[in-house]
Amino acid sequence: MTDWIAILSTPLDVAAAVEFVRDPAAGGIDVFLGTTRAERSPEGRELLALDYAAYEEMAVQQMHKLAAEARARWPVTKLAILHRVGRVEIAQPSVVIAVSTPHRAQAFECCRYLIDELKKSVTIWKKEVWADGSATWVHPHSA
Amino acid sequence: MTITIRFFALLRDRAGVDQMTLSVSKGATVSDATKMIADQCPSLRELLNRIAFALNREYVEADAVLHEGDELALIPPVSGGAR
């Protein structure tokens, strides 16, 4: 098994993802973390956390498909795509992508491709949880 | 025939359930099912024209034809973040 793809309700273990893709055939590892950014709404509310929900069966299938597409484009040695569901506090990671390839340029390109494509189509949604107790789903108007 | 409808995110909150079953006639399309859902769940109506559809975990267009036992998911715009 050369890909580690999972949706998890527990904190993401970045070191474990890096360890997973470390390989004698690889000359570079690129890691992307998406983290919860502190925000203040126009009304002055402070963001406490993001709460992620997924259509898990479909999202996992989509992530495997993305991994296969990445492998068709770059000589990936190993890759890991881990995404949280549930509450992710400020500065904590909601997504971890780790890619190892023989040369570093491939790892950078492949990692960027994976996060960009994941954001476009994978069935995961986030809700902003505010300090005043309110919560709002984030639904871009693209679809 | 009977299909399962799955709701997520804002749609789930509005519907108050995460799934429901729907009886549709043979040859019915995703679009036909969506109209039935709008009639049964008026609180969803305004959201239903800006969502995507997945049939058995694959994105489809509104003219896709339904079959017995299908799982139709109503997919609100995903979390995105262009930057």
Side-chain angles (χ1 to χ4, degrees):
Chain A
M1 180 70 179
T2 47
D3 299 337
W4 180 18
I5 286 170
I7 291 178
L8 301 164
S9 56
T10 52
L12 299 179
D13 187 340
V14 178
V18 173
E19 188 55 29
F20 178 83
V21 301
R22 213 158 57 81
D23 190 275
I29 294 174
D30 196 64
V31 180
F32 174 82
L33 307 184
T35 55
T36 300
R37 179 180 56 241
E39 293 272 2
R40 186 189 292 269
S41 76
E43 306 82 37
R45 296 174 301 174
E46 299 280 350
L47 188 74
L48 275 189
L50 293 172
D51 196 349
Y52 286 85
Y55 180 8
E56 286 200 26
E57 310 94 302
M58 180 168 169
V60 167
Q61 193 173 300
Q62 290 175 299
M63 287 154 76
H64 278 286
K65 203 180 289 176
L66 278 183
E69 285 164 13
R71 286 182 170 281
R73 295 175 66 158
W74 292 278
V76 173
T77 308
K78 287 185 175 167
L79 69 85
I81 308 174
L82 310 178
H83 205 298
R84 276 294 309 275
V85 286
R87 188 180 170 112
V88 181
E89 309 286 338
I90 303 291
Q92 294 302 308
S94 55
V95 57
V96 176
I97 296 180
V99 181
S100 60
T101 57
H103 301 283
R104 68 180 179 280
Q106 304 153 343
F108 280 121
E109 287 168 17
C110 180
C111 193
R112 168 144 209 180
Y113 170 83
L114 286 171
I115 185 61
D116 287 349
E117 293 301 312
L118 184 138
K119 289 259 188 177
K120 272 185 217 163
S121 66
V122 174
T123 48
I124 297 175
W125 298 272
K126 66 182 172 193
K127 185 156 68 173
E128 294 166 328
V129 181
W130 303 95
D132 66 358
S134 62
T136 41
W137 286 105
V138 180
H139 289 315
H141 294 288
S142 55
Chain B
M1 35 181 220
T2 303
I3 63 169
T4 301
I5 310 295
R6 304 236 356 220
F7 301 105
F8 297 95
L10 182 57
L11 285 164
R12 176 176 293 188
D13 288 356
R14 288 273 184 94
V17 293
D18 55 9
Q19 61 180 58
M20 63 183 264
T21 55
L22 192 69
S23 294
V24 297
S25 45
K26 199 167 170 6
T29 62
V30 167
S31 174
D32 297 331
T34 308
K35 288 190 190 102
M36 293 174 70
I37 295 163
D39 289 339
Q40 291 189 23
C41 315
S43 62
L44 299 183
R45 191 183 299 271
E46 50 140 348
L47 301 174
L48 293 175
N49 51 18
R50 53 189 188 93
I51 59 170
F53 305 100
L55 194 54
N56 304 321
R57 303 172 194 177
E58 297 279 352
Y59 282 115
V60 294
E61 299 297 327
D63 61 358
V65 175
L66 300 166
H67 298 92
E68 171 67 29
D70 275 354
E71 177 174 288
L72 173 62
L74 308 183
I75 309 284
V78 295
S79 72
R83 293 169 295 163

